[in-house]
Amino acid sequence: MTAPATTKELDAVVLGAGFAGLYMVKRLRDMLGMSVRAFETGDNVGGTWYWNRYPGARCDSPSYIYCFSFDKELLQEWEWSGKYPEQPEILRYLNHVADRHDLRKDIQFNTKVTAAHFDENTNRWLVETDNGDRISAKYFITGIGCLSAGQVPNIKGLETYQGDWYHTGSWPHDGVDFEGKRVGVIGTGSSGIQAIPVIAEQAGHLYVFQRTPQYTVPARHETVDKAFLDEIKSRYDEIWDKARWSQGGQPIDPVERSALDATPEERQQIYEELWKEGGHGFLFGSFWDVAADRRANDTASEFIREKIREIVKDPDTAEKLLPVDHPFASKRPLIDTNYYETYNRDNVTLVDIRHDPIEEITPKGVRTGGEEYELDIIVFATGFDAMTGAFDRIDIRGRQGYPLREKWSEGPKTYLGVANAGFPNMFMITGPGSPSVLSNMPVSIEQHVEWISDAIDHMEKNGYQAMEADPDAEKEWVEHVNEVADQTMFTLADSWYLGANIPGKPRVFMPYPAGVGIYREKCDEVVANGYEGFHLETKQAEPAATR
Ligand code: NA7
């Protein structure tokens, strides 16, 4: 790719206008005074919350901490309506942030970045879009989301299907009318378990096609009153501080008791209390070893299985819903509203596609186990090509034209999840190798945006032309991420954390599981040691062997 005469010169190009892109634009423009443009495929801001508009879409971090902390006035002004923020409210919030900080003027909507190539002669990135834009920028920063590349499985016959079908991750803006319809939902991950109870209330009949049964804990979602929010607001600094140095980006004190030291009665009582309270407290507030020790985990897993048997009236359906092939929380932990209860409805049928995989999609519906389920609508709640998929869809090339896709062909290789050896001046917000999806995203996003803008500030103040991760530092980081992951239970399930949901994707654990506090400490140390593990160059860099 060469730079034609019409190339626009900017300091930085940012990809995406979700939480990450919005804050990145704000920092680079308002703090560093840079010329910056963000490119966004959608026609408005919001990222994940722009695309995922399926019924029941909601975040499972408490609303008061699922927001930006950089705008302290906004923290005091914004009144969340529920314990957990619902998709329309988060979208409203992000629109408000964009207006309040006048960010839209630096965002180009309806535009997909198709290519970004590093030019070693100029130390600049040449970026192209599907609208024919060409930009040359010193910095190339991705805020493209960890779960933005939706995957519709390649099931035989989909093109022949005569009904309507949708993927939860690119939902129609004017909604879908399920009233009285025969609906099939394929997939029971976070999106499926949120959508299923809501669709069941509207559909004539709902068929849930389940491959892997899930553990899910009641969210106990409710509205929050002003007194609750005022109390939070009175100690926001302390709350954010706790979240920033925590395991998962939530203001939760770690528990020290062990499930293995408790008596069965004590365990039962604690699990019962936390089940009643709802939310991720069941996992994080019960016993420290539930997420760390298989025997401790078995006690929590069995408690949930017992709840399923108790809640679901039809024993066959209950049996099919029992998760037995992986430990609780080895896949993404889920919280729900009336998920298991939904299977007591007369208009809901659970279809086990673990034993009888979907054979084909026919013009009329779905065929499995020799039976054809006639459907007016199919909802694919089948997830995403997580963490790397959105990168793979862009032609990103570093030194010597080397494609990022190729560098990552055996799994993503990054330094700190923020940079790539061989790709100078490219930074990733919540890239693979950082806590990202294992954390409350706004906390991790703010940390990365601030770290990146500080690094850029450092470069500009010191006249550096290029900043690039050292291949050895990167190798050590990748090994470290894998070592930490091997000590967790995450590797015991086939999950999108490992790329296991995408046929042919290398099985590599992608996020960094040591926790946001430990990670922040490591990132701060890198800076304190003069950007340890990075090469900073004042003049044009020589091509390096970086692979
Ligand atoms: P997930 O968590 O990846 O869930 C996808 C679901 O779809 C899961 O139940 C899968 O079963 C199922 N699936 C995927 N491919 C197929 C095929 N080919 N056939 C049948 N079933 C299939 O995606 P979500 O959108 O729910 O959640 C993604 C994240 O977004 C979530 O964790 C939050 O962080 C936000 P499987 O378990 O693979 O057997």
Side-chain angles (χ1 to χ4, degrees), residues 86-104:
E86 300 191 357
Q87 176 271 332
E89 195 167 6
I90 306 172
L91 194 56
R92 238 186 350 264
Y93 170 80
L94 289 171
N95 272 278
H96 178 73
V97 170
D99 293 336
R100 183 182 171 95
H101 292 280
D102 199 11
L103 299 175
R104 288 178 206 281

PDB file of all heavy atoms in Angstrom, residues 86-104:
ATOM      1  N   GLU A  86     -28.843  -1.870  31.782  1.00  0.00           N
ATOM      2  CA  GLU A  86     -29.404  -2.521  30.604  1.00  0.00           C
ATOM      3  C   GLU A  86     -28.855  -1.846  29.344  1.00  0.00           C
ATOM      4  O   GLU A  86     -28.452  -0.681  29.396  1.00  0.00           O
ATOM      5  CB  GLU A  86     -30.927  -2.448  30.675  1.00  0.00           C
ATOM      6  CG  GLU A  86     -31.369  -3.150  31.938  1.00  0.00           C
ATOM      7  CD  GLU A  86     -32.849  -3.407  32.055  1.00  0.00           C
ATOM      8  OE1 GLU A  86     -33.589  -2.982  31.162  1.00  0.00           O
ATOM      9  OE2 GLU A  86     -33.232  -4.047  33.045  1.00  0.00           O
ATOM     10  N   GLN A  87     -28.868  -2.630  28.263  1.00  0.00           N
ATOM     11  CA  GLN A  87     -28.240  -2.136  27.017  1.00  0.00           C
ATOM     12  C   GLN A  87     -28.702  -0.713  26.629  1.00  0.00           C
ATOM     13  O   GLN A  87     -27.850   0.132  26.342  1.00  0.00           O
ATOM     14  CB  GLN A  87     -28.487  -3.153  25.882  1.00  0.00           C
ATOM     15  CG  GLN A  87     -27.986  -2.726  24.527  1.00  0.00           C
ATOM     16  CD  GLN A  87     -29.033  -1.940  23.752  1.00  0.00           C
ATOM     17  OE1 GLN A  87     -30.217  -2.128  23.946  1.00  0.00           O
ATOM     18  NE2 GLN A  87     -28.591  -1.055  22.892  1.00  0.00           N
ATOM     19  N   PRO A  88     -30.019  -0.415  26.636  1.00  0.00           N
ATOM     20  CA  PRO A  88     -30.404   0.931  26.185  1.00  0.00           C
ATOM     21  C   PRO A  88     -29.831   2.032  27.085  1.00  0.00           C
ATOM     22  O   PRO A  88     -29.489   3.108  26.627  1.00  0.00           O
ATOM     23  CB  PRO A  88     -31.938   0.911  26.270  1.00  0.00           C
ATOM     24  CG  PRO A  88     -32.314  -0.535  26.300  1.00  0.00           C
ATOM     25  CD  PRO A  88     -31.189  -1.255  26.963  1.00  0.00           C
ATOM     26  N   GLU A  89     -29.708   1.704  28.375  1.00  0.00           N
ATOM     27  CA  GLU A  89     -29.206   2.727  29.301  1.00  0.00           C
ATOM     28  C   GLU A  89     -27.701   2.948  29.112  1.00  0.00           C
ATOM     29  O   GLU A  89     -27.211   4.079  29.184  1.00  0.00           O
ATOM     30  CB  GLU A  89     -29.516   2.302  30.747  1.00  0.00           C
ATOM     31  CG  GLU A  89     -29.372   3.450  31.713  1.00  0.00           C
ATOM     32  CD  GLU A  89     -29.967   3.143  33.085  1.00  0.00           C
ATOM     33  OE1 GLU A  89     -30.383   1.997  33.324  1.00  0.00           O
ATOM     34  OE2 GLU A  89     -29.988   4.069  33.925  1.00  0.00           O
ATOM     35  N   ILE A  90     -26.961   1.869  28.860  1.00  0.00           N
ATOM     36  CA  ILE A  90     -25.513   2.037  28.624  1.00  0.00           C
ATOM     37  C   ILE A  90     -25.297   2.834  27.336  1.00  0.00           C
ATOM     38  O   ILE A  90     -24.438   3.709  27.259  1.00  0.00           O
ATOM     39  CB  ILE A  90     -24.783   0.668  28.529  1.00  0.00           C
ATOM     40  CG1 ILE A  90     -25.085  -0.188  29.754  1.00  0.00           C
ATOM     41  CG2 ILE A  90     -23.282   0.879  28.385  1.00  0.00           C
ATOM     42  CD1 ILE A  90     -24.560  -1.619  29.657  1.00  0.00           C
ATOM     43  N   LEU A  91     -26.127   2.532  26.353  1.00  0.00           N
ATOM     44  CA  LEU A  91     -26.003   3.237  25.072  1.00  0.00           C
ATOM     45  C   LEU A  91     -26.316   4.735  25.272  1.00  0.00           C
ATOM     46  O   LEU A  91     -25.623   5.595  24.723  1.00  0.00           O
ATOM     47  CB  LEU A  91     -26.948   2.610  24.045  1.00  0.00           C
ATOM     48  CG  LEU A  91     -26.720   2.993  22.596  1.00  0.00           C
ATOM     49  CD1 LEU A  91     -25.294   2.704  22.146  1.00  0.00           C
ATOM     50  CD2 LEU A  91     -27.702   2.250  21.690  1.00  0.00           C
ATOM     51  N   ARG A  92     -27.340   5.011  26.061  1.00  0.00           N
ATOM     52  CA  ARG A  92     -27.677   6.412  26.366  1.00  0.00           C
ATOM     53  C   ARG A  92     -26.503   7.091  27.067  1.00  0.00           C
ATOM     54  O   ARG A  92     -26.127   8.215  26.765  1.00  0.00           O
ATOM     55  CB  ARG A  92     -28.905   6.432  27.289  1.00  0.00           C
ATOM     56  CG  ARG A  92     -30.039   7.194  26.711  1.00  0.00           C
ATOM     57  CD  ARG A  92     -31.252   7.406  27.554  1.00  0.00           C
ATOM     58  NE  ARG A  92     -31.411   6.720  28.801  1.00  0.00           N
ATOM     59  CZ  ARG A  92     -32.091   5.584  28.973  1.00  0.00           C
ATOM     60  NH1 ARG A  92     -32.643   4.988  27.935  1.00  0.00           N
ATOM     61  NH2 ARG A  92     -32.215   5.052  30.179  1.00  0.00           N
ATOM     62  N   TYR A  93     -25.915   6.355  28.002  1.00  0.00           N
ATOM     63  CA  TYR A  93     -24.780   6.889  28.760  1.00  0.00           C
ATOM     64  C   TYR A  93     -23.617   7.238  27.812  1.00  0.00           C
ATOM     65  O   TYR A  93     -23.049   8.330  27.876  1.00  0.00           O
ATOM     66  CB  TYR A  93     -24.341   5.851  29.809  1.00  0.00           C
ATOM     67  CG  TYR A  93     -23.034   6.174  30.491  1.00  0.00           C
ATOM     68  CD1 TYR A  93     -22.986   7.090  31.542  1.00  0.00           C
ATOM     69  CD2 TYR A  93     -21.851   5.575  30.076  1.00  0.00           C
ATOM     70  CE1 TYR A  93     -21.777   7.390  32.156  1.00  0.00           C
ATOM     71  CE2 TYR A  93     -20.646   5.868  30.681  1.00  0.00           C
ATOM     72  CZ  TYR A  93     -20.608   6.775  31.725  1.00  0.00           C
ATOM     73  OH  TYR A  93     -19.413   7.078  32.322  1.00  0.00           O
ATOM     74  N   LEU A  94     -23.287   6.309  26.909  1.00  0.00           N
ATOM     75  CA  LEU A  94     -22.142   6.543  26.016  1.00  0.00           C
ATOM     76  C   LEU A  94     -22.437   7.676  25.024  1.00  0.00           C
ATOM     77  O   LEU A  94     -21.543   8.457  24.685  1.00  0.00           O
ATOM     78  CB  LEU A  94     -21.755   5.249  25.288  1.00  0.00           C
ATOM     79  CG  LEU A  94     -21.110   4.205  26.213  1.00  0.00           C
ATOM     80  CD1 LEU A  94     -20.935   2.866  25.512  1.00  0.00           C
ATOM     81  CD2 LEU A  94     -19.762   4.684  26.752  1.00  0.00           C
ATOM     82  N   ASN A  95     -23.687   7.780  24.602  1.00  0.00           N
ATOM     83  CA  ASN A  95     -24.061   8.919  23.755  1.00  0.00           C
ATOM     84  C   ASN A  95     -23.891  10.234  24.522  1.00  0.00           C
ATOM     85  O   ASN A  95     -23.424  11.229  23.972  1.00  0.00           O
ATOM     86  CB  ASN A  95     -25.509   8.772  23.276  1.00  0.00           C
ATOM     87  CG  ASN A  95     -25.580   7.975  21.983  1.00  0.00           C
ATOM     88  OD1 ASN A  95     -25.372   8.512  20.903  1.00  0.00           O
ATOM     89  ND2 ASN A  95     -25.828   6.683  22.098  1.00  0.00           N
ATOM     90  N   HIS A  96     -24.284  10.203  25.769  1.00  0.00           N
ATOM     91  CA  HIS A  96     -24.155  11.398  26.599  1.00  0.00           C
ATOM     92  C   HIS A  96     -22.677  11.784  26.758  1.00  0.00           C
ATOM     93  O   HIS A  96     -22.320  12.962  26.651  1.00  0.00           O
ATOM     94  CB  HIS A  96     -24.798  11.123  27.966  1.00  0.00           C
ATOM     95  CG  HIS A  96     -24.665  12.276  28.908  1.00  0.00           C
ATOM     96  ND1 HIS A  96     -25.394  13.434  28.777  1.00  0.00           N
ATOM     97  CD2 HIS A  96     -23.852  12.459  29.983  1.00  0.00           C
ATOM     98  CE1 HIS A  96     -25.051  14.279  29.740  1.00  0.00           C
ATOM     99  NE2 HIS A  96     -24.110  13.709  30.482  1.00  0.00           N
ATOM    100  N   VAL A  97     -21.817  10.783  26.980  1.00  0.00           N
ATOM    101  CA  VAL A  97     -20.376  11.050  27.128  1.00  0.00           C
ATOM    102  C   VAL A  97     -19.836  11.677  25.838  1.00  0.00           C
ATOM    103  O   VAL A  97     -19.085  12.654  25.860  1.00  0.00           O
ATOM    104  CB  VAL A  97     -19.605   9.748  27.465  1.00  0.00           C
ATOM    105  CG1 VAL A  97     -18.099   9.958  27.375  1.00  0.00           C
ATOM    106  CG2 VAL A  97     -19.991   9.248  28.857  1.00  0.00           C
ATOM    107  N   ALA A  98     -20.264  11.110  24.708  1.00  0.00           N
ATOM    108  CA  ALA A  98     -19.785  11.620  23.411  1.00  0.00           C
ATOM    109  C   ALA A  98     -20.197  13.082  23.220  1.00  0.00           C
ATOM    110  O   ALA A  98     -19.399  13.907  22.761  1.00  0.00           O
ATOM    111  CB  ALA A  98     -20.331  10.754  22.276  1.00  0.00           C
ATOM    112  N   ASP A  99     -21.435  13.412  23.614  1.00  0.00           N
ATOM    113  CA  ASP A  99     -21.908  14.799  23.460  1.00  0.00           C
ATOM    114  C   ASP A  99     -21.222  15.725  24.453  1.00  0.00           C
ATOM    115  O   ASP A  99     -20.765  16.806  24.108  1.00  0.00           O
ATOM    116  CB  ASP A  99     -23.427  14.863  23.689  1.00  0.00           C
ATOM    117  CG  ASP A  99     -24.177  14.133  22.584  1.00  0.00           C
ATOM    118  OD1 ASP A  99     -23.608  14.004  21.481  1.00  0.00           O
ATOM    119  OD2 ASP A  99     -25.313  13.677  22.834  1.00  0.00           O
ATOM    120  N   ARG A 100     -21.180  15.271  25.674  1.00  0.00           N
ATOM    121  CA  ARG A 100     -20.633  16.092  26.751  1.00  0.00           C
ATOM    122  C   ARG A 100     -19.181  16.487  26.482  1.00  0.00           C
ATOM    123  O   ARG A 100     -18.760  17.591  26.802  1.00  0.00           O
ATOM    124  CB  ARG A 100     -20.738  15.226  28.022  1.00  0.00           C
ATOM    125  CG  ARG A 100     -20.320  15.849  29.308  1.00  0.00           C
ATOM    126  CD  ARG A 100     -20.479  14.772  30.383  1.00  0.00           C
ATOM    127  NE  ARG A 100     -19.918  15.169  31.636  1.00  0.00           N
ATOM    128  CZ  ARG A 100     -20.608  15.731  32.618  1.00  0.00           C
ATOM    129  NH1 ARG A 100     -21.897  15.938  32.476  1.00  0.00           N
ATOM    130  NH2 ARG A 100     -20.013  16.076  33.751  1.00  0.00           N
ATOM    131  N   HIS A 101     -18.428  15.573  25.871  1.00  0.00           N
ATOM    132  CA  HIS A 101     -17.007  15.860  25.613  1.00  0.00           C
ATOM    133  C   HIS A 101     -16.756  16.193  24.139  1.00  0.00           C
ATOM    134  O   HIS A 101     -15.614  16.219  23.699  1.00  0.00           O
ATOM    135  CB  HIS A 101     -16.149  14.672  26.072  1.00  0.00           C
ATOM    136  CG  HIS A 101     -16.166  14.508  27.566  1.00  0.00           C
ATOM    137  ND1 HIS A 101     -15.396  15.279  28.397  1.00  0.00           N
ATOM    138  CD2 HIS A 101     -16.894  13.701  28.364  1.00  0.00           C
ATOM    139  CE1 HIS A 101     -15.639  14.937  29.659  1.00  0.00           C
ATOM    140  NE2 HIS A 101     -16.550  13.978  29.668  1.00  0.00           N
ATOM    141  N   ASP A 102     -17.845  16.418  23.431  1.00  0.00           N
ATOM    142  CA  ASP A 102     -17.752  16.842  22.036  1.00  0.00           C
ATOM    143  C   ASP A 102     -16.839  15.908  21.221  1.00  0.00           C
ATOM    144  O   ASP A 102     -15.944  16.353  20.497  1.00  0.00           O
ATOM    145  CB  ASP A 102     -17.221  18.290  21.992  1.00  0.00           C
ATOM    146  CG  ASP A 102     -17.538  18.949  20.661  1.00  0.00           C
ATOM    147  OD1 ASP A 102     -18.338  18.359  19.901  1.00  0.00           O
ATOM    148  OD2 ASP A 102     -16.966  20.005  20.371  1.00  0.00           O
ATOM    149  N   LEU A 103     -17.082  14.617  21.353  1.00  0.00           N
ATOM    150  CA  LEU A 103     -16.191  13.639  20.719  1.00  0.00           C
ATOM    151  C   LEU A 103     -16.601  13.318  19.280  1.00  0.00           C
ATOM    152  O   LEU A 103     -15.777  12.898  18.485  1.00  0.00           O
ATOM    153  CB  LEU A 103     -16.163  12.352  21.551  1.00  0.00           C
ATOM    154  CG  LEU A 103     -15.646  12.518  22.992  1.00  0.00           C
ATOM    155  CD1 LEU A 103     -15.780  11.213  23.770  1.00  0.00           C
ATOM    156  CD2 LEU A 103     -14.190  12.982  22.993  1.00  0.00           C
ATOM    157  N   ARG A 104     -17.876  13.532  18.965  1.00  0.00           N
ATOM    158  CA  ARG A 104     -18.357  13.096  17.638  1.00  0.00           C
ATOM    159  C   ARG A 104     -17.608  13.752  16.491  1.00  0.00           C
ATOM    160  O   ARG A 104     -17.453  13.162  15.428  1.00  0.00           O
ATOM    161  CB  ARG A 104     -19.850  13.393  17.499  1.00  0.00           C
ATOM    162  CG  ARG A 104     -20.727  12.497  18.324  1.00  0.00           C
ATOM    163  CD  ARG A 104     -22.189  12.906  18.153  1.00  0.00           C
ATOM    164  NE  ARG A 104     -22.914  12.513  19.328  1.00  0.00           N
ATOM    165  CZ  ARG A 104     -23.331  11.266  19.552  1.00  0.00           C
ATOM    166  NH1 ARG A 104     -23.115  10.332  18.655  1.00  0.00           N
ATOM    167  NH2 ARG A 104     -23.965  10.975  20.665  1.00  0.00           N
TER     168      ARG A 104
END
